[in-house]
Structure formats: C-alpha cells, structure tokens
Amino acid sequence: MRVLVLTGAGVSAESGIPTFRGKDGYWRNLDPTKLATPEAFARDPQLVWDWYRERRERIRNARPNAAHAAIAKLAQHADEFLLVTQNVDNLHARAGMSAQDMVQIHGDIFVTRCSRCDFRQRDDDQDDRQHRKGAAGFGVRRSRDCGTALKARTCPRTPKCPNCDALMRPSVIWFGEQLPWNELQRVENFLDGGACDVVIVAGTTATFGYIIDWAFRASRDSAELIEVNPEETLLSRFATRLVREPAAIALPRIVDGLIRSR
Ligand SMILES: [Zn+2]
C-alpha cells in the first residue's frame, strides 16, 4: 500500500490550536493572515514574536488527538508513506510520526532562524521550561534565545542572530513566501516514485494550489481519494469518498478499514 496523506489546520484545531481563518484565530483583535507575513515582521517584529511565543506555548500545552494517532498508525502499516502537513506545530511528531515520513511544508514553529544568514536553532524543551517558569513568576532568568533577563511571559526583545546580529524569526513560511526547496523536492520525489493506492486529504480547505496539485497527481491512476472535512472544499468534487466529519472522529475508522482491507 502506497499512501499520501495531506493535512491542514483542521487536524490540529481538534487539539485546541486555533486556525487562522475564522473568529478563534484572531489574536489581540489582529488577523493572523496579516501577522504571518514578512511585512508584519518588518513593521513590528516584537509583535509578531509575541504572537508566535503564545502559539508555541499553546502547542506545548496541547496534546495530539485521535487523528494524529491514526495517521501515525497508517504510516506504520503502509509499504510506502508520506505525510505532507501544512501545520507548523509538532503534534504529528508527538503522535509518533517519524521525520523521514513527514514533510512540514509550511515550516516548523519550534525552529528559530536568522532572517539573513543560514543560522538556525531548535528551541528545545529546556528553553520551553525556562520560558514557562519565567512566565509563572519563578524570578528573573536568563532566556537563551534572546540573551536578556526574562521576567514576563515574553522576552523583552526580539532575538538576534549570534553570527550576524540580524533579527531571528520563526522558521515558518509566511504568506507570500516561497516554499522550502528541500521539502518541495521530497514531495516531488515521492510523487515521482510511483502511483499511490490511497490519498487522504484531511482538515484542509485546500485553498493552496499546490495541495490540490499534489492530491491530483498522487491519485491520477485511479487511487482512492478520500477527503475528510466537515465542509465542502475545492477538492470535494474530485474525491472518490467524502467524509463530512471532523478528522479526529473519522480518521481512526478510515485507517482501521484500510489496514483491514489490505
Ligand atoms: Zn545570521
């Protein structure tokens, strides 16, 4: 069984991570689709960092749900498997997805990278705990990622690159930015590697052309194209099976059915 799974914000929404679109996504009355842009970062990097720090905190406190677990289970049973997720959180990984079976096409919120040079770092658990303790009033601590005293929930400054002193930024793909070349190549290689038997598109409205393109190409030789989304999307009329339910409800059942039918 050769399987491609494409996921979007709907999968993480059920773990309490707000989607960009819709009322829940608003933060301090600001529209996330305008915050997640190079222009917003150039105008007010502190504001954008505050928002990302809150999102990181929310993700740390969230748990993977049944949809994440079902996808990880399917990966174990498939002969060849690729998950392409638009989510920048780590919930797929925490549910057991290995990095080699997964492409985070919109980046990784827990990686901080330089806005100028190649420097990047993963903000590990130790940093997470320091941030949380600082936020909980455990006293002044040094924050490793900005190098300044941390009294409040957020660092007082935006982090600077230790190599070139330019601003550090979250390693996510903002609106209007190019997709990462290496990750694109991994998707292309998988698509070139042969026809899929099953394509699952879950929790995404498929508004980005490349998501639709990949779903089409992977299912071109009459593979089953399963869409899991409570609402109709641009992909719906091409799906061979429509499941109008939240991913955490539908995916465990779909995955068990696929594994049984092998
Ligand atoms: Zn740098």
Side-chain angles (χ1 to χ4, degrees), residues 114-119 161 163-166 168:
C114 179
S115 55
R116 183 192 294 153
C117 76
D118 289 338
F119 181 80
C161 175
N163 287 348
C164 76
D165 209 40
M168 298 285 279

Side-chain angles (χ1 to χ4, degrees), residues 49 53 56 60 112 121 123-124 126-132 134-135 139-160:
W49 262 117
R53 288 217 168 87
R56 283 178 169 183
R60 283 171 192 132
T112 301
Q121 68 183 26
D123 290 334
D124 58 23
Q126 185 62 30
D127 282 335
D128 299 352
R129 278 194 296 274
Q130 284 181 343
H131 267 277
R132 272 207 297 279
V140 176
R141 287 166 190 275
R142 307 297 288 183
S143 164
R144 258 204 273 160
D145 78 346
C146 68
T148 50
L150 176 70
K151 275 183 184 166
R153 173 172 288 275
T154 54
C155 285
R157 289 195 293 118
T158 52
K160 292 270 184 68

